[in-house]
């Protein structure tokens, strides 16, 4: 929402069937995009698409794509609805990996991509067209999504990636343009409901997820969440996680991850407490849950062992070693000095006796 166009680096790992991503500079991308202004734009100062349409009304969105490279490229494009990942970050792609709630109007269903694949010669510019049709009935709040434009991997690189080890990494570059459709009325009061706690494993790490369901058609911004786990009827906190300045997409589920910090799970009954705050709105949820013997055993068996950080210990040992070395040097120096003084005193005594 905050950036005009967010450029993402999609890291395709052959052992997995999905893309993860991180921000990259536009200089890393072979192409650039330019979303042309829409006459249906609500806020002209915004650079992403921020639209208002009447029920069933249709309009076209046009994005210019320029190949900056000296070789031809192929561009793939799609539209997806907004979701929220477990880190409290809104995503505009791979919605199948995330959960939604009360999603009456799905941006994927409202937008038709005219050309899903676009071939560009070196230095060539072409246009991508997207047709968006408003829902049949008026709605409150916003429908949120994004236009994703990525460079297709060359076939030989794709084939070679399949032949490499499972740890091989391929880089795929692209852009996401936020797409917001406003309803008849603005929603100003967010509604968050708790979901059922899930005990599972993510990337080899044991995880206790406390779902937060944003059932309202609005973004929840500057969202601060604090979650803790303790044994039922006990005061000692076993696990705790805090995230500040997060964001939750409309009609999305934020599976808040209360991290176990690599510790093994123990079977038993637990109580989870979660507090959330956004711009003066506050929520507090408490939920009891049980970790069965089987669940604990199965997850602990496949969990990645925690790698302990011995940096502090190494630093203490280094300092002690240096101090010990200095002590030995000083001791030897003083000992030699004393020897010299003793020898000098003996020589003076001999001279006195001789005289």
């Amino acid at each position: 929402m905050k950036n005009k166009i967010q450029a993402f680096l999609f890291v395709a790992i052959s052992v997995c069937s999905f893309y993860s991503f991180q921000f990259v500079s536009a200089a890393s991308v072979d192409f650039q995009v330019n979303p042309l202004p829409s006459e249906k734009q609500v806020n002209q100062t915004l650079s992403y698409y921020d639209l208002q349409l009447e029920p069933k009304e249709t309009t076209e969105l046009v994005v210019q794509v320029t190949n900056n490279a000296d070789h031809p490229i192929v561009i793939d494009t799609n539209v997806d609805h907004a979701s929220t990942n477990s880190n409290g970050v809104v995503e505009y792609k791979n919605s199948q990996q995330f959960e939604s709630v009360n999603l009456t109007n799905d941006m994927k269903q409202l937008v038709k991509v005219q050309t899903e694949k676009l071939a560009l010669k070196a230095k060539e510019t072409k246009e991508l067209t997207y047709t968006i049709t408003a829902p049949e009935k008026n709605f409150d709040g916003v429908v949120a999504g994004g236009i994703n434009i990525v460079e297709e991997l060359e076939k030989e690189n794709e084939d070679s990636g399949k032949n490499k080890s499972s740890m091989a990494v391929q880089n795929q570059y692209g852009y996401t343009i936020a797409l917001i459709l406003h309803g008849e009325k603005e929603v100003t009061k967010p509604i968050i409901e708790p979901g059922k706690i899930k005990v599972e494993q993510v990337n080899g790490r044991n995880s206790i997820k406390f779902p937060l369901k944003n059932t309202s058609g609005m973004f929840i911004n500057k969202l601060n969440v604090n979650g803790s786990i303790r044994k039922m009827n006990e005061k000692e906190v076993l696990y705790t996680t805090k995230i500040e300045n997060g964001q939750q997409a409309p009609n999305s589920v934020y599976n808040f991850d209360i991290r176990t910090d690599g510790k093994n799970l123990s079977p038993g009954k637990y109580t989870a407490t979660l507090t959330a705050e956004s711009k003066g709105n506050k929520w507090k949820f408490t939920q009891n849950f049980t970790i069965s013997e089987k669940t604990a055993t199965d997850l602990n068996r496949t969990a990645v062992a925690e790698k302990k950080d011995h940096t502090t210990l190494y630093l203490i040992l280094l300092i002690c070693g240096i101090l010990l070395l200095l002590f030995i040097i000083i001791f030897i120096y003083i000992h030699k000095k004393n020897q010299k003084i003793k020898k000098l005193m003996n020589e003076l005594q001999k001279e006195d006796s001789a005289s």
Side-chain angles (χ1 to χ4, degrees):
M1 292 272 304
K2 296 180 181 178
N3 298 328
K4 174 181 178 181
I5 305 172
Q6 296 175 315
F8 293 103
L9 165 64
F10 299 94
V11 183
I13 305 178
S14 57
V15 71
C16 303
S17 60
F18 58 91
Y19 293 114
S20 60
F21 60 90
Q22 62 187 42
F23 290 111
V24 297
S25 66
S28 302
V29 190
D30 280 340
F31 68 98
Q32 65 185 45
V33 299
N34 176 33
L36 301 183
S38 169
E39 60 181 11
K40 299 299 181 178
Q41 187 82 1
V42 175
N43 188 340
Q44 299 294 334
T45 64
L46 300 177
S47 307
Y48 56 84
Y49 287 119
D50 183 55
L51 311 176
Q52 179 101 49
L53 300 175
E54 296 296 326
K56 299 183 181 180
E57 185 180 3
T58 296
T59 191
E60 289 190 345
L61 306 176
V62 179
V63 179
Q64 288 181 338
V65 184
T66 301
N67 179 10
N68 295 325
D70 296 323
H71 55 81
I73 62 173
V74 177
I75 297 299
D76 293 327
T77 184
N78 64 74
V79 173
D80 208 342
H81 67 250
S83 307
T84 307
N85 67 25
S86 60
N87 294 316
V89 177
V90 173
E91 306 234 12
Y92 296 93
K93 71 182 305 296
N94 295 330
S95 62
Q96 70 277 6
Q97 298 177 20
F98 310 104
E99 299 178 53
S100 299
V101 57
N102 296 348
L103 188 64
T104 305
N105 300 306
D106 188 340
M107 189 65 79
K108 290 191 296 184
Q109 307 302 322
L110 300 180
V111 180
K112 181 180 179 181
V113 181
Q114 300 296 339
T115 305
E116 295 183 352
K117 194 178 296 289
L118 184 68
L120 291 170
K121 299 176 183 178
K123 308 300 181 183
E124 185 179 19
T125 297
K126 288 185 179 181
E127 293 181 347
L128 288 170
T129 303
Y130 308 84
T131 302
I132 178 170
T133 302
E136 294 184 0
K137 299 180 180 179
N138 279 320
F139 63 93
D140 295 336
V142 298
V143 179
I147 297 172
N148 300 296
I149 305 173
V150 299
E151 180 179 353
E152 191 174 275
L153 292 171
E154 294 183 13
K155 193 175 188 307
E156 58 268 24
N157 291 338
E158 189 174 356
D159 292 339
S160 63
K162 293 178 182 178
N163 296 328
K164 292 180 181 179
S165 69
S166 61
M167 295 305 293
V169 176
Q170 292 176 285
N171 294 334
Q172 187 177 22
Y173 301 102
Y175 294 90
T176 291
I177 306 169
L179 174 55
I180 308 299
L181 179 62
H182 291 266
E184 183 180 26
K185 297 179 182 178
E186 180 183 4
V187 176
T188 58
K189 183 73 173 179
I191 301 174
I192 291 182
E193 298 176 357
K196 185 178 180 180
I197 286 176
K198 296 173 284 187
V199 182
E200 54 189 33
Q201 202 169 86
V202 179
N203 297 326
R205 305 288 182 181
N206 291 337
S207 171
I208 300 173
K209 291 190 175 180
F210 199 139
L212 290 176
K213 300 179 179 181
N214 177 14
T215 62
S216 54
M218 66 175 291
F219 283 90
I220 301 179
N221 300 313
K222 296 184 178 180
L223 179 61
N224 303 319
V225 185
N226 193 347
S228 61
I229 304 289
R230 53 186 172 82
K231 282 278 191 177
M232 190 181 296
N233 300 322
E234 294 184 11
K235 293 183 178 181
E236 181 186 1
V237 175
L238 302 176
Y239 315 116
T240 182
T241 300
K242 183 178 181 180
I243 291 182
E244 297 181 337
N245 293 319
Q247 185 184 39
Q248 187 167 2
N251 303 110
S252 71
V253 178
Y254 176 11
N255 281 306
F256 184 76
D257 185 5
I258 302 177
R259 304 181 185 95
T260 61
D261 297 324
K263 300 176 183 176
N264 281 342
L265 297 174
S266 298
K269 295 183 177 181
Y270 295 86
T271 299
T273 302
L274 190 144
T275 59
E277 185 273 331
S278 169
K279 296 184 175 180
N281 298 293
K282 296 181 179 181
W283 303 266
K284 183 176 181 179
F285 306 110
T286 300
Q287 186 177 145
N288 296 326
F289 66 100
T290 301
I291 300 178
S292 67
E293 183 80 38
K294 183 179 185 305
T295 298
T297 301
D298 291 345
L299 293 180
N300 291 337
R301 185 188 303 118
T302 56
V304 176
E306 181 184 10
K307 294 183 179 179
K308 296 183 179 180
D309 186 0
H310 299 292
T311 304
T312 303
L313 176 61
Y314 293 151
L315 184 59
I316 293 174
L317 291 175
L318 177 62
I319 293 173
C320 290
I322 293 173
L323 292 175
L324 179 60
L325 181 61
L326 288 174
F327 175 78
I328 293 173
I329 292 173
I330 293 171
F331 175 79
I332 293 174
Y333 174 79
I334 294 175
H335 179 71
K336 287 184 177 181
K337 273 287 187 183
N338 289 337
Q339 289 292 97
K340 288 181 179 180
I341 293 173
K342 188 175 181 181
K343 183 179 179 181
L344 181 60
M345 292 294 293
N346 289 336
E347 290 177 354
L348 291 175
Q349 287 177 359
K350 289 180 181 180
E351 291 178 0
D352 290 340
S353 297
S355 60

